[in-house]
Amino acid sequence: MKIAVFPGSFDPITKGHESIVKRAAPLFDKIIVAIGVNSSKKGMFDHPTREKWIKQTFADVPNVEVMTYSGLTVDFCIQQNANYILRGLRSNADFEYEFTIAQMNKLLKDNVETFFLLTEPEYSAISSTIVKDIYRNNGDVSQFVPAAIKLTD
Amino acid sequence: MKIAVFPGSFDPITKGHESIVKRAAPLFDKIIVAIGVNSSKKGMFDHPTREKWIKQTFADVPNVEVMTYSGLTVDFCIQQNANYILRGLRSNADFEYEFTIAQMNKLLKDNVETFFLLTEPEYSAISSTIVKDIYRNNGDVSQFVPAAIKLTD
Amino acid sequence: MKIAVFPGSFDPITKGHESIVKRAAPLFDKIIVAIGVNSSKKGMFDHPTREKWIKQTFADVPNVEVMTYSGLTVDFCIQQNANYILRGLRSNADFEYEFTIAQMNKLLKDNVETFFLLTEPEYSAISSTIVKDIYRNNGDVSQFVPAAIKLTD
Amino acid sequence: MKIAVFPGSFDPITKGHESIVKRAAPLFDKIIVAIGVNSSKKGMFDHPTREKWIKQTFADVPNVEVMTYSGLTVDFCIQQNANYILRGLRSNADFEYEFTIAQMNKLLKDNVETFFLLTEPEYSAISSTIVKDIYRNNGDVSQFVPAAIKLTD
Amino acid sequence: MKIAVFPGSFDPITKGHESIVKRAAPLFDKIIVAIGVNSSKKGMFDHPTREKWIKQTFADVPNVEVMTYSGLTVDFCIQQNANYILRGLRSNADFEYEFTIAQMNKLLKDNVETFFLLTEPEYSAISSTIVKDIYRNNGDVSQFVPAAIKLTD
Amino acid sequence: MKIAVFPGSFDPITKGHESIVKRAAPLFDKIIVAIGVNSSKKGMFDHPTREKWIKQTFADVPNVEVMTYSGLTVDFCIQQNANYILRGLRSNADFEYEFTIAQMNKLLKDNVETFFLLTEPEYSAISSTIVKDIYRNNGDVSQFVPAAIKLTD
């Protein structure tokens, strides 16, 4: 079975995340959207809420699952029999960061490969950080998050 | 009227900021240097001090005003009838960041355009962050801030 | 009068160019779309064709003119009483290149400032080079060039 | 069937290319290493030689095929029933270029997705261009090309 | 005497740092590995431990010394009669940051020059930050730190 | 003896080149400014002229020599007993290119290290290519080339 892990904090999930997973879904038997728990970074939305929104987003994509994990991403992959990590790339800055992480993951577990898709241009400026910033300042974020979810839920 | 907002934290204003505004001043009827208030980031200098220094810097540029704002920059623009945001670009890293912000602002308010000027080479290494770092370590920052102001005021 | 020159080879004009000029038009009294003649680079389309397409593209924008020039861009600006150069930025690679050109122009003529607009995300991958490449390989380029023009004209 | 096209000029194939294809091979049912014929760029090695070297390199990877094509890469994909393009990323400069190409391909054929793998660090400086340059200056290129091939063949 | 300062937080020293210093050692009469003390950033390992590890790493390189400093790096250089700062570059992101710091240092003390070596590819993904992150999550970091030291010491 | 090679085409030498060599001269016993002869790229100025200008530029720096070479730079270094290559870095784009070249040189000759200095900001936009372009269009290039030389010599 070809299983990919799509790790992130998803605080909250954006249209960019949604697009990456939906475009990659046909290539893998299963994609696990994996919410990383970071004890030192609390975030804006709690984990059950993030998970609910991800489930609503992929309700119609049968081979997408949602899980929560802590510790190293590669250890979670091994535990889930996932040989692939899936990541989106929006920009050069993303590339620099992802390059470092992917190389380290490869050094830690040689049998886990990271595949990248490029974010579609219309989503390239969207990040969870900016969505939260707009939300905190009472801006309308509906055009940046998946249609299936409501931040006011 | 062609009004531009030049937003920032200006903690403190640098020679780089000064140069951008003075070079752009002839193109606009009014430029509002807008000090963003961020409740979660206190900064080194208080807002009245930042404002005083900006006013001293542009004392001889009649179409420059100084204001303080909170909330989204585009909302402040609309409120001030400003259809333009002015920003300086120093480097690739700036470009990545500004690209994201400008695209989001455009998505939030289609009638507010962001125009960029490139920082002149001799100011390209100067940032408020580095000025503060040097100041905190008792270094001489006078060559990095506008001649009109004194950090020891 | 606030006059801007928008220089390029426009071989052919793309939707990206169109968008930059239309978004900047309200800020300037006149924008001159200036086709640079480079004796050592022949290009794919001849100059009268490029000029015709640009005129069709901006037929409904009264303050846009089209001209052809050779020599240094800053010399053409001085000759046209233009104190501004307008450029679009699509990516980091653009930034590096434009940064160098803008700095040199500033060193050559201190009274000509280059203002930048960011290309809208949906046009960020479009360049004349790629349009020509697709056209040469019989691909359909209609979604990349202004609606007003027909490459088969 | 999940078919990927790995397009390039492979003039000559490098250890970097070899590594990308071997790491991606388990994910796809078939990978077509596709040598693009560019009538305006002659290259150093002729097409039969490039093809022979690629075949030697992947002699022990049963789901890798070698083909030659001209025209647009996406048109070749459609013709081969390939819904995936595979590309390697070595650096930021690669990213900029690949980003543009991948976006254009997506705009031309929405059902062809480009997946990227990052080049392993020890191969990140290797390019066909540099290999040719060293070869032309009588340097030893054996550490940069697949073990299976001999440039002096 | 040609003295270079190699400043950093070394929390902890990595194989990347080790490689830079060992490659640069033949060029200088003395290299001072200088642990910067930052009162506002506590770090993971205490200063005596960081210092012990650096000493173990360079036990066989006679012209390398280890010191701790606070304040501006250029002030420390002057105090140590060091006319050179040595830095490693791993990536574009490093370049942007180092460019700014080096320019500021040059502006502060014109007689202190910063020389750069590029990190060898196999160490380009290694940073103290990532090493700490793996360590904190119980991953094995031995392949990322100098052979001479044990993080479990 | 610590000998460095500063390779380039110097067509023509610029103030940027001049600054790098003069800043590095105190660190090395000898710096060889090495004009690479590339049979396929003719250039604008002939080699005797380029060499004359370099000699005039460094007439007062006794440990700088000028030579012409063909073939691989590392082979020239070995032949000259030079264990160091000296290069300037102006920008991210330079970094990408230099990174690749330096890594390849290191792989070819492990005992030749490349050291980098950053170009001073006021010279960061200057390149031989742009100087030639301005010169070809009858612009004044005197502010971009060393004071000691006259392009009209």
Side-chain angles (χ1 to χ4, degrees):
Chain A
M1 251 210 4
K2 290 165 187 167
I3 303 174
V5 164
F6 183 62
S9 52
F10 306 106
D11 183 31
I13 187 169
T14 67
K15 275 194 180 165
H17 298 133
E18 179 187 24
S19 164
I20 295 291
V21 170
K22 288 189 171 166
R23 287 159 59 204
L27 182 57
F28 296 98
D29 296 308
K30 182 164 78 177
I31 296 181
I32 302 170
V33 179
I35 307 170
V37 176
N38 185 333
S39 54
S40 67
K41 240 175 58 181
K42 211 183 157 305
M44 179 176 268
F45 301 104
D46 63 27
H47 288 92
T49 304
R50 298 185 206 177
E51 194 170 333
K52 181 186 69 182
W53 284 336
I54 299 172
K55 280 186 174 149
Q56 288 171 340
T57 303
F58 302 113
D60 57 346
V61 191
N63 64 333
V64 173
E65 290 184 14
V66 189
M67 296 183 73
T68 294
Y69 77 105
S70 58
L72 294 176
T73 302
V74 284
D75 288 340
F76 178 70
C77 291
I78 298 300
Q79 180 193 316
Q80 297 296 324
N81 294 314
N83 289 304
Y84 305 100
I85 293 174
L86 173 69
R87 295 290 289 165
L89 284 175
R90 284 169 306 176
S91 67
N92 267 13
D94 267 16
F95 174 79
E96 292 269 342
Y97 176 78
E98 296 290 341
F99 185 84
T100 303
I101 299 296
Q103 303 291 18
M104 292 305 272
N105 284 340
K106 180 83 178 159
L107 289 170
L108 289 168
K109 301 288 173 197
D110 189 49
N111 56 338
V112 178
E113 290 288 353
T114 305
F115 278 81
F116 295 91
L117 275 176
L118 301 186
T119 302
E120 292 181 280
E122 61 267 38
Y123 305 135
S124 66
I126 304 175
S127 69
S128 297
T129 304
I130 291 186
V131 167
K132 275 182 285 193
D133 198 44
I134 296 170
Y135 180 76
R136 195 180 289 119
N137 285 292
N138 306 313
D140 174 15
V141 300
S142 60
Q143 65 178 311
F144 309 125
V145 298
I149 71 160
K150 297 273 172 296
L151 278 200
T152 50
D153 271 10
Chain B
M1 250 207 7
K2 290 164 188 169
I3 303 173
V5 164
F6 183 62
S9 52
F10 305 105
D11 183 31
I13 185 170
T14 67
K15 276 194 179 164
H17 298 133
E18 179 188 23
S19 165
I20 295 291
V21 171
K22 288 190 172 166
R23 288 159 58 204
L27 183 56
F28 297 98
D29 296 308
K30 183 165 78 176
I31 297 181
I32 301 170
V33 179
I35 308 171
V37 176
N38 185 333
S39 55
S40 68
K41 239 175 59 179
K42 209 182 157 304
M44 179 176 268
F45 301 103
D46 62 28
H47 288 91
T49 303
R50 297 185 206 178
E51 195 169 334
K52 180 187 70 182
W53 285 335
I54 299 171
K55 280 185 174 151
Q56 288 170 340
T57 302
F58 302 112
D60 57 346
V61 191
N63 64 333
V64 173
E65 290 184 14
V66 189
M67 296 183 73
T68 294
Y69 76 105
S70 58
L72 294 176
T73 302
V74 285
D75 288 340
F76 178 70
C77 291
I78 297 300
Q79 179 194 317
Q80 297 296 325
N81 294 313
N83 289 304
Y84 304 99
I85 293 173
L86 173 69
R87 295 290 290 166
L89 283 175
R90 284 171 306 176
S91 67
N92 268 14
D94 267 15
F95 174 78
E96 293 268 342
Y97 176 78
E98 296 290 341
F99 184 85
T100 304
I101 299 296
Q103 303 291 19
M104 292 303 274
N105 284 339
K106 180 84 178 157
L107 289 170
L108 288 167
K109 302 288 173 196
D110 189 48
N111 56 338
V112 179
E113 289 289 353
T114 306
F115 278 81
F116 294 91
L117 275 177
L118 301 186
T119 301
E120 292 180 279
E122 62 266 37
Y123 305 135
S124 65
I126 304 175
S127 69
S128 296
T129 304
I130 291 187
V131 168
K132 275 182 285 192
D133 198 44
I134 295 170
Y135 180 76
R136 196 180 288 119
N137 286 292
N138 306 311
D140 174 15
V141 300
S142 60
Q143 64 178 311
F144 308 126
V145 297
I149 70 161
K150 299 275 172 294
L151 279 200
T152 50
D153 272 10
Chain C
M1 237 183 44
K2 289 164 189 169
I3 304 175
V5 165
F6 183 62
S9 51
F10 305 105
D11 183 32
I13 186 170
T14 66
K15 275 194 179 164
H17 299 133
E18 179 188 23
S19 164
I20 294 291
V21 171
K22 288 190 171 165
R23 287 159 58 204
L27 183 56
F28 297 97
D29 295 308
K30 182 164 78 175
I31 296 181
I32 301 170
V33 180
I35 308 171
V37 176
N38 184 332
S39 54
S40 68
K41 240 175 59 180
K42 209 182 158 307
M44 179 176 267
F45 302 103
D46 62 27
H47 288 91
T49 304
R50 298 184 205 178
E51 195 169 333
K52 181 187 69 183
W53 286 336
I54 299 171
K55 280 186 174 149
Q56 290 170 340
T57 303
F58 302 112
D60 57 346
V61 190
N63 64 332
V64 173
E65 290 185 14
V66 189
M67 296 183 73
T68 294
Y69 77 105
S70 59
L72 294 177
T73 303
V74 284
D75 288 340
F76 178 71
C77 291
I78 298 299
Q79 181 194 314
Q80 297 296 325
N81 294 314
N83 290 303
Y84 305 100
I85 294 174
L86 173 68
R87 296 288 291 164
L89 284 175
R90 285 170 304 178
S91 66
N92 267 13
D94 267 16
F95 174 79
E96 293 269 342
Y97 176 78
E98 296 290 341
F99 184 85
T100 304
I101 300 297
Q103 304 290 20
M104 292 305 272
N105 284 340
K106 179 84 179 158
L107 289 170
L108 288 167
K109 301 288 173 197
D110 188 49
N111 56 338
V112 179
E113 290 288 352
T114 306
F115 278 81
F116 295 92
L117 276 176
L118 301 185
T119 302
E120 292 181 280
E122 61 267 38
Y123 304 135
S124 66
I126 304 175
S127 69
S128 297
T129 304
I130 291 187
V131 168
K132 276 183 284 192
D133 198 45
I134 295 169
Y135 180 76
R136 197 180 287 120
N137 285 291
N138 305 312
D140 174 15
V141 301
S142 59
Q143 65 179 311
F144 309 125
V145 297
I149 72 160
K150 297 274 172 294
L151 277 199
T152 51
D153 272 8
Chain D
M1 248 201 15
K2 289 162 189 170
I3 303 175
V5 164
F6 183 63
S9 52
F10 305 104
D11 183 31
I13 185 170
T14 67
K15 275 194 179 164
H17 298 133
E18 179 188 22
S19 164
I20 295 291
V21 171
K22 288 190 171 165
R23 286 159 59 204
L27 183 56
F28 297 98
D29 295 309
K30 184 163 78 175
I31 296 181
I32 301 170
V33 180
I35 307 170
V37 176
N38 185 332
S39 54
S40 68
K41 237 174 61 180
K42 209 183 158 303
M44 179 176 269
F45 301 103
D46 62 27
H47 287 92
T49 303
R50 298 185 206 178
E51 193 169 335
K52 181 186 69 181
W53 284 337
I54 299 171
K55 280 186 174 149
Q56 288 170 340
T57 302
F58 302 112
D60 57 345
V61 190
N63 63 333
V64 173
E65 290 184 15
V66 188
M67 297 183 73
T68 294
Y69 77 105
S70 58
L72 294 177
T73 303
V74 285
D75 288 341
F76 177 70
C77 291
I78 298 299
Q79 179 193 317
Q80 298 296 325
N81 293 314
N83 290 304
Y84 305 100
I85 294 175
L86 174 68
R87 295 290 290 166
L89 283 176
R90 283 171 305 177
S91 66
N92 268 13
D94 267 15
F95 174 78
E96 293 269 343
Y97 177 78
E98 297 289 341
F99 184 85
T100 304
I101 299 297
Q103 305 289 20
M104 292 305 272
N105 284 339
K106 180 84 179 158
L107 289 169
L108 289 167
K109 301 289 172 195
D110 188 49
N111 56 339
V112 179
E113 289 289 352
T114 305
F115 279 81
F116 294 92
L117 275 177
L118 301 186
T119 301
E120 293 181 277
E122 61 267 37
Y123 304 135
S124 66
I126 304 175
S127 69
S128 296
T129 303
I130 291 187
V131 168
K132 275 183 285 193
D133 198 44
I134 295 170
Y135 180 76
R136 196 180 289 118
N137 285 293
N138 306 311
D140 174 15
V141 300
S142 59
Q143 65 179 311
F144 309 126
V145 297
I149 72 160
K150 299 273 172 296
L151 277 200
T152 52
D153 272 8
Chain E
M1 245 194 27
K2 289 162 188 170
I3 303 174
V5 164
F6 183 63
S9 53
F10 306 105
D11 183 31
I13 185 169
T14 67
K15 275 194 179 164
H17 299 132
E18 179 188 23
S19 165
I20 295 291
V21 171
K22 288 190 171 165
R23 288 159 59 204
L27 183 57
F28 296 97
D29 296 307
K30 183 164 79 176
I31 296 181
I32 301 170
V33 180
I35 308 170
V37 176
N38 186 332
S39 54
S40 68
K41 239 175 59 181
K42 208 181 159 306
M44 179 177 269
F45 301 104
D46 61 29
H47 287 93
T49 303
R50 299 186 206 176
E51 194 169 334
K52 180 187 68 182
W53 284 337
I54 298 172
K55 281 186 173 150
Q56 288 170 341
T57 303
F58 302 113
D60 57 347
V61 191
N63 64 333
V64 173
E65 290 184 14
V66 189
M67 296 182 74
T68 294
Y69 76 105
S70 58
L72 294 177
T73 302
V74 285
D75 288 341
F76 178 70
C77 290
I78 297 300
Q79 179 193 317
Q80 298 296 324
N81 294 313
N83 289 304
Y84 305 100
I85 294 174
L86 173 68
R87 295 290 291 165
L89 284 175
R90 283 170 306 177
S91 67
N92 267 14
D94 268 14
F95 174 79
E96 293 270 343
Y97 176 78
E98 296 290 340
F99 184 85
T100 304
I101 299 297
Q103 304 289 20
M104 293 303 272
N105 284 340
K106 180 83 178 160
L107 290 170
L108 289 167
K109 301 287 172 195
D110 188 48
N111 55 338
V112 179
E113 289 289 353
T114 305
F115 278 81
F116 294 91
L117 275 176
L118 302 185
T119 301
E120 293 181 278
E122 62 267 36
Y123 305 135
S124 66
I126 304 176
S127 69
S128 297
T129 304
I130 292 186
V131 167
K132 275 182 285 193
D133 198 44
I134 296 170
Y135 180 77
R136 196 180 288 118
N137 286 291
N138 306 312
D140 175 14
V141 300
S142 60
Q143 65 178 310
F144 308 126
V145 297
I149 70 161
K150 299 274 172 296
L151 278 199
T152 50
D153 273 9
Chain F
M1 244 197 24
K2 289 163 188 168
I3 303 175
V5 164
F6 183 62
S9 52
F10 305 105
D11 184 30
I13 186 169
T14 67
K15 275 194 179 164
H17 298 133
E18 179 188 24
S19 165
I20 296 291
V21 171
K22 288 189 172 166
R23 287 159 59 203
L27 183 57
F28 296 98
D29 296 308
K30 183 164 78 176
I31 295 181
I32 301 169
V33 179
I35 308 171
V37 175
N38 185 332
S39 54
S40 67
K41 239 174 60 181
K42 211 183 158 305
M44 179 176 269
F45 301 103
D46 61 28
H47 288 92
T49 303
R50 298 185 206 177
E51 195 170 333
K52 181 187 68 183
W53 285 336
I54 300 171
K55 280 186 174 149
Q56 289 170 341
T57 303
F58 301 112
D60 57 347
V61 190
N63 63 332
V64 173
E65 290 184 13
V66 189
M67 297 183 73
T68 294
Y69 76 105
S70 58
L72 294 176
T73 303
V74 284
D75 288 340
F76 177 70
C77 290
I78 298 298
Q79 180 194 315
Q80 298 296 325
N81 293 314
N83 289 303
Y84 305 100
I85 294 174
L86 173 68
R87 295 289 291 164
L89 284 175
R90 283 170 306 178
S91 66
N92 268 14
D94 267 14
F95 174 78
E96 293 270 342
Y97 176 78
E98 296 290 341
F99 183 85
T100 304
I101 299 298
Q103 304 290 19
M104 292 304 271
N105 284 340
K106 179 85 179 157
L107 289 169
L108 289 168
K109 301 289 172 195
D110 188 48
N111 55 338
V112 179
E113 290 289 352
T114 306
F115 279 81
F116 295 91
L117 276 176
L118 301 186
T119 301
E120 293 180 278
E122 60 267 38
Y123 304 134
S124 66
I126 305 175
S127 70
S128 297
T129 303
I130 291 187
V131 168
K132 276 183 285 194
D133 198 44
I134 295 170
Y135 180 76
R136 196 180 288 118
N137 285 292
N138 306 313
D140 175 14
V141 301
S142 59
Q143 64 178 311
F144 309 125
V145 296
I149 72 162
K150 298 273 172 297
L151 277 200
T152 51
D153 273 9

